[in-house]
């Protein structure tokens, strides 16, 4: 098993810039290690995913409560990679 690294960040409302608690953040991949590692944002909108092999991933996604956003991310050796999201609420969608 190779070395594992992490992703950390924050999720804020794209309009009000308020921290978003309870949003699900997932790295969509299947390979060595955890499949689709997932975290839920804390009361300050922060999240941390750990145990991720170094590499480029096409879909780091945040969803929940009417918010959806995604980003590509490259995980490298060393401290966790920081990825912040500022999705806008989809008032017409579920949640």
């Amino acid at each position: 098993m190779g070395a594992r690294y992490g992703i950390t960040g924050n999720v804020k409302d794209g309009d009000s810039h308020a921290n978003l608690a309870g949003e699900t953040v997932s790295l969509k991949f299947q390979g060595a290690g955890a499949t689709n590692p997932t975290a839920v944002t804390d009361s300050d909108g922060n999240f941390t995913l750990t145990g991720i092999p170094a590499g480029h991933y096409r879909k780091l996604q945040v969803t929940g409560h009417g918010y959806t956003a995604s980003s590509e991310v490259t995980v490298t050796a060393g401290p966790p990679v920081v990825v912040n999201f500022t999705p806008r609420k989809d008032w017409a969608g579920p949640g």
Side-chain angles (χ1 to χ4, degrees):
M1 182 161 69
R4 304 278 186 238
Y5 306 100
I7 302 170
T8 188
N10 181 267
V11 182
K12 293 183 183 293
D13 181 281
D15 292 317
S16 71
H17 303 289
N19 293 324
L20 295 176
E23 302 300 309
T24 301
V25 181
S26 297
L27 182 64
K28 303 297 186 181
F29 87 100
Q30 282 127 14
T35 300
N36 299 332
T38 300
V40 175
T41 57
D42 66 15
S43 61
D44 294 321
N46 298 316
F47 69 90
T48 300
L49 299 172
T50 59
I52 302 165
H56 183 80
Y57 300 93
R58 295 181 185 258
K59 195 167 189 180
L60 176 65
Q61 183 174 33
V62 60
T63 57
H65 306 105
Y67 295 92
T68 301
S70 63
S71 176
E72 292 189 15
V73 62
T74 300
V75 175
T76 57
V81 175
V82 177
V83 180
N84 296 315
F85 289 97
T86 54
R88 297 181 73 196
K89 187 169 181 84
D90 179 0
W91 293 99

